[in-house]
Amino acid sequence: MDRVEIADWFKVLQDDICSQLEKGDAEGRFQEDLWERTEGGGGRTRIIQGQHIEKGGVNFSAVHGPLPQKIGNALGLDAGEFFASGVSIVLHPRNPWVPIIHMNVRYFEMSDGKWWFGGGIDLTPHYVNEGEARYFHQALKTVCDEHDASYYPIFKRWADDYFYVKHRKETRGIGGIFFDRLSGQNGFTKAQRFAFVQSVGKAFAPVYLHLLENNKDRTFEPAHKKWQLLRRGRYVEFNLVWDKGTKFGLDTDGRIESILMSLPPEVNWDYNVQPAEESLEAKTLSLLKKEIDWT
């Protein structure tokens, strides 16, 4: 397979996920913006602001051109032409009982023949529901195990380490799986790596729609909404301070509205919030740590 085939599949994935999310939201419809990158390539940014999904983005991009020196230094690559394509998703729900979710699946190659896949899915509940956390991780483990038994424990640990808000000393949520630079090492073929990425992409909508359906109509109080806005603040802190995808987009002169579609529409930073002992908020904070075995 070549990069055109891979990018075309990512486009189909974007279409399929958007269709499923519109059905799940019932009222929201995606607005599409087509954009081009001056140095080469472009993408399709799709944003939904619906009944249950307050703000969500499902983006496709395929960009190419001379590798920016800053990116080359960060990735340990020599100068040359690069190509990068993928789908990136962030959904911010209206109801505080529904979690935030993120997914990214991507492909990268250089003109000297180097190539790799990356991506992952992670969940950020405003209130951690342990049963739903187990459901989420078991679904990801099932996807991983279909391709290689070593994937889930490695990629789960990688997500714990990556989605960590270092300055807060807490994880962004309950993690998930994260992987990068999956190439031909350890005897894997390009087709095998791509098949795994395809499975991850296909798993996204059914898993999230299950969580959305379970919680979208639950009643909540103003205090729950206030906590949701506070947790969204933590999400913003991670994306703007630590996320490598955000930095990659900015460093390659990507479309700023597409890059920052991951940010929620409304957020609070109240000063020195200390939840009451044994509250749901305190329980959630106690579960925002690495190395929890959810399966």
Side-chain angles (χ1 to χ4, degrees):
M1 77 205 57
D2 61 21
R3 68 190 198 180
V4 174
E5 293 176 84
I6 294 170
D8 284 346
W9 188 86
F10 284 146
K11 287 181 181 178
V12 173
L13 178 66
Q14 183 195 35
D15 291 341
D16 183 56
I17 289 175
C18 288
S19 176
Q20 293 188 64
L21 290 178
E22 287 183 344
K23 291 178 182 177
D25 186 86
E27 292 186 6
R29 293 295 179 266
F30 279 93
Q31 169 193 333
E32 179 177 83
D33 289 323
L34 303 179
W35 56 274
E36 294 184 358
R37 178 175 176 268
T38 303
E39 295 82 355
R44 309 188 302 195
T45 294
R46 293 180 181 171
I47 301 297
I48 186 171
Q49 295 173 295
Q51 179 183 11
H52 302 296
I53 302 171
E54 188 171 0
K55 179 188 175 188
V58 180
N59 291 352
F60 162 81
S61 64
V63 298
H64 58 86
L67 184 70
Q69 184 175 356
K70 191 172 182 179
I71 294 295
N73 293 341
L75 298 177
L77 297 174
D78 296 328
E81 297 286 315
F82 84 98
F83 172 85
S85 182
V87 171
S88 180
I89 303 170
V90 177
L91 303 178
H92 290 284
R94 195 172 300 278
N95 192 309
W97 302 114
V98 181
I100 304 167
I101 195 168
H102 157 261
M103 184 188 79
N104 176 269
V105 284
R106 59 189 182 274
Y107 173 72
F108 183 91
E109 73 174 33
M110 288 291 296
S111 51
D112 63 4
K114 293 185 179 72
W115 62 266
W116 65 73
F117 291 94
I121 304 179
D122 72 290
L123 197 70
T124 305
H126 311 100
Y127 290 94
V128 175
N129 179 312
E130 294 179 79
E132 291 187 342
R134 287 191 289 271
Y135 160 80
F136 176 72
H137 274 273
Q138 186 58 57
L140 296 184
K141 185 177 185 300
T142 298
V143 170
C144 289
D145 288 350
E146 290 174 352
H147 294 269
D148 193 278
S150 70
Y151 275 177
Y152 177 76
I154 294 173
F155 298 159
K156 192 269 186 187
R157 189 179 314 115
W158 204 338
D160 283 351
D161 290 338
Y162 182 81
F163 296 108
Y164 186 67
V165 188
K166 297 177 184 178
H167 57 277
R168 297 283 185 180
K169 296 182 173 57
E170 63 184 37
T171 55
R172 186 170 78 173
I174 61 164
I177 58 172
F178 179 81
F179 51 90
D180 200 9
R181 297 215 180 193
L182 298 189
S183 59
Q185 67 265 50
N186 300 322
F188 285 98
T189 66
K190 194 172 190 178
Q192 288 172 322
R193 296 298 203 188
F194 186 36
F196 170 63
V197 168
Q198 289 175 304
S199 293
V200 172
K202 292 175 183 177
F204 173 84
V207 168
Y208 190 66
L209 289 175
H210 172 80
L211 299 172
L212 180 67
E213 188 63 32
N214 279 358
N215 296 288
K216 66 184 183 181
D217 295 320
R218 288 182 63 184
T219 59
F220 57 87
E221 303 296 331
H224 299 134
K225 192 67 179 180
K226 186 175 182 179
W227 178 253
Q228 178 189 37
L229 299 183
L230 181 72
R231 295 313 306 169
R232 284 178 174 180
R234 300 290 195 268
Y235 200 92
V236 170
E237 288 177 22
F238 177 85
N239 278 30
L240 295 185
V241 176
W242 301 108
D243 186 60
K244 294 179 181 178
T246 301
K247 294 178 180 179
F248 179 86
L250 296 175
D251 288 341
T252 54
D253 294 322
R255 181 174 183 264
I256 190 65
E257 288 298 325
S258 300
I259 296 166
L260 298 184
M261 68 86 185
S262 64
L263 303 185
E266 187 178 4
V267 62
N268 280 350
W269 277 278
D270 290 337
Y271 180 73
N272 196 26
V273 174
Q274 300 295 328
E277 291 186 17
E278 300 185 6
S279 65
L280 290 177
E281 292 80 6
K283 179 183 177 183
T284 287
L285 292 182
S286 74
L287 294 170
L288 298 181
K289 58 185 180 182
K290 300 179 184 182
E291 300 177 3
I292 296 179
D293 183 359
W294 292 109
T295 60

